[in-house]
Amino acid sequence: MFDFMRLLSGDRAGATRRGGSGRSAAPGVLLQLRLVFYGVLLGLMMPVIRQIDWAALVPPGLKIEWPTGFGIAWPAGHLRVPGGWSKAADAAKAEASAAATAASGAATNAGAATTATGALATAAGVASAASTVAAAASALSGGKAVSARFTICGHAKRIDCMVDGDTFWMAGTKIRIADIDTPETHPPRCAREARLGQAATLKMQALLNAGPFTLTPIKRDVDRYGRKLRIVERDGVSLGAVLVRHGLARRYGGGKRAGWCAVSRV
C-alpha cells in the first residue's frame, strides 16, 4: 500500500531501488500491474464495503452529513460548509424562508384589515344603537311612529320584549299601556288568569309586530313602578281597545283593578 501511494505521488526512484533493476521501463510496468491489482481488489471489496455499518464506527455524539450536504455535527455545535452537495439544500432553505416571510406579511395585512373591519362594524353598531335610542325617545314623546320586533321577555337583557299583555320593553325602556288592564302572569292568581294572561301577551305581541305604532302620552308620565305610561295606537285606533274587544283586557283609567279568576263580563 505504501509503495502504491509513493508510485501515485511520483516516487519512481524508490520503487526502482526496491525492484533491484536500473531499467526505466520497469517502474512503469510495475505501476500498471499494481494499479490493475488494486483496482480488481477494490472492485471485489465494494460489496463488503457497502454492507459495513459506518454509523457504528463513528464515535458517539458525532454525525456526518454525506453526501446530501457536507457538514459535521457534534454535541458542542454544528459545522456546515455551504455550496457543493449542500448548494441545492441551501437554496431550498432560502426560498422557504422567503416564502415564510411573505406569508407572515400577508397575515399581518389580513389582521390589520380584519381589525379595521371590526372597528367599522363596531362604529356602525354604535351608530345604529344611538339611532334606535333617538327614535325611541321621539316615539315616547308622541312624535313619529316607531316599529320593533318584540319577543317574550326571558332572563336575558330586556330590549324589545313583552312582559305581559299590558307591559312591554322597547329600546330598553319599560312601557305600561295606560288605557287597559290585562290578566296577571307574574304570577297568575288562578289557572283561568294564567290562560287569559298568556293569550293577552301573545295577542299584544302580534299587534305590536304588525307594523309601526305611536305612543301617546297621558297626564302622568310614569307610574309608581317607574314604567312609562302611554296609549299605544295605530292609525288612530288603540291597540289596547283591540284586546278589550277580544275579551283579553279591560278598560282602565286608574284605581283598583278587578281580578280575573271569577267569570265576569268585560
Side-chain angles (χ1 to χ4, degrees):
M1 178 62 74
F2 292 109
D3 291 341
F4 176 65
M5 296 300 294
R6 276 193 285 269
L7 286 172
L8 290 180
S9 63
D11 187 9
R12 294 186 179 186
T16 302
R17 287 193 298 270
R18 284 187 297 274
S21 174
R23 292 179 299 179
S24 60
V29 174
L30 182 61
L31 174 62
Q32 294 179 21
L33 290 175
R34 287 182 175 178
L35 288 175
V36 170
F37 172 74
Y38 287 123
V40 173
L41 182 61
L42 183 62
L44 293 174
M45 292 178 62
M46 282 303 295
V48 179
I49 294 174
R50 290 176 180 174
Q51 295 178 2
I52 295 176
D53 185 7
W54 296 101
L57 303 178
V58 177
L62 184 65
K63 178 183 178 182
I64 300 178
E65 298 177 358
W66 183 276
T68 57
F70 178 70
I72 300 176
W74 66 96
H78 185 87
L79 175 64
R80 186 177 184 85
V81 180
W85 281 312
S86 64
K87 186 175 182 180
D90 294 337
K93 287 185 177 180
E95 292 180 2
S97 177
T101 302
S104 177
T108 301
N109 293 336
T114 302
T115 302
T117 303
L120 290 175
T122 301
V126 171
S128 177
S131 176
T132 301
V133 171
S138 176
L140 288 172
S141 64
K144 293 183 179 179
V146 67
S147 61
R149 191 68 184 174
F150 294 90
T151 61
I152 303 299
C153 294
H155 296 292
K157 185 177 181 180
R158 298 182 174 186
I159 306 297
D160 297 314
C161 63
M162 304 297 303
V163 177
D164 54 28
D166 57 26
T167 306
F168 62 94
W169 289 78
M170 187 185 73
T173 300
K174 196 172 187 179
I175 300 172
R176 170 68 162 83
I177 302 176
D179 59 342
I180 60 170
D181 174 56
T182 61
E184 295 294 333
T185 59
H186 303 286
R189 299 178 183 87
C190 61
R192 180 174 184 272
E193 186 173 41
R195 185 176 64 256
L196 292 175
Q198 183 181 11
T201 302
L202 296 177
K203 182 62 177 179
M204 182 56 70
Q205 178 190 16
L207 290 173
L208 293 178
N209 287 337
F213 54 87
T214 57
L215 300 173
T216 304
I218 61 173
K219 292 181 179 181
R220 292 176 59 194
D221 183 53
V222 297
D223 64 6
R224 60 178 177 171
Y225 303 108
R227 300 176 295 186
K228 294 288 186 179
L229 295 173
R230 297 294 185 271
I231 297 176
V232 184
E233 297 179 324
R234 177 179 294 123
D235 299 328
V237 177
S238 168
L239 299 186
V242 175
L243 254 66
V244 172
R245 289 198 297 270
H246 284 81
L248 300 175
R250 297 192 182 109
R251 293 182 180 87
Y252 182 71
K256 186 177 180 180
R257 294 174 294 177
W260 289 86
C261 291
V263 178
S264 61
R265 298 174 63 109
V266 178

